Amino acid sequence: MPAFEKETDPESWEYSLYIPNDPRAVTVSRRTLRLILTMHGLIGLVDTAELLAAELVGNAVRHTKGPAALRVRWSAGVLRIGAWDADPRPPEPPRELEQLVESEDGRGLGMVRACADLWGWQPLSRFGNRGKFVWCELRAAA
């Protein structure tokens, strides 16, 4: 997974949850994220953050065969949620939500794009590990 810049802000924090390739990992990730955000007093972000994390982790579990991880970081009023998986192929580009109304799949990144303030992905190759990191950000309400 990518190394985030070293933070000097005492209010910043970061968690990583390594998960197996198992559909139940989505529920575990959602519940863990809810607990983390609640304990840090960010209850206002919980519902949207859970939705976004479920989509990112769900894609990592559904579309790859290896392990995955959820990474959550808070810094300077921005919550970054990301999912790492071992498949280096880029995610399918998100389509507009209006195009996905009747579709049974392919809505995940469209919802991420619609609900997050910013999103992206990056390929990874570090210490012999390959894969990608798909992330999104939510800003705290003022």
Side-chain angles (χ1 to χ4, degrees), residues 70-94:
L70 171 69
R71 184 172 236 176
V72 182
R73 176 183 180 223
W74 174 259
S75 181
V78 176
L79 179 69
R80 178 176 273 203
I81 303 164
W84 166 83
D85 65 59
D87 186 349
R89 291 177 295 173
E92 290 291 320

Side-chain angles (χ1 to χ4, degrees), residues 13-35:
W13 46 261
E14 183 176 320
Y15 293 86
S16 294
L17 175 65
Y18 293 90
I19 53 178
N21 189 286
D22 184 325
R24 294 172 290 194
V26 176
T27 301
V28 171
S29 296
R30 285 180 68 134
R31 290 182 178 167
T32 302
L33 178 61
R34 175 173 285 274
L35 180 60

Side-chain angles (χ1 to χ4, degrees), residues 30 33 37 42 44-55 79 81 136 138:
R30 285 180 68 134
L33 178 61
L37 295 179
L42 296 171
L45 295 177
V46 168
D47 292 335
T48 303
E50 271 191 309
L51 171 70
L52 297 173
E55 292 301 332
L79 179 69
I81 303 164
C136 62
L138 294 173

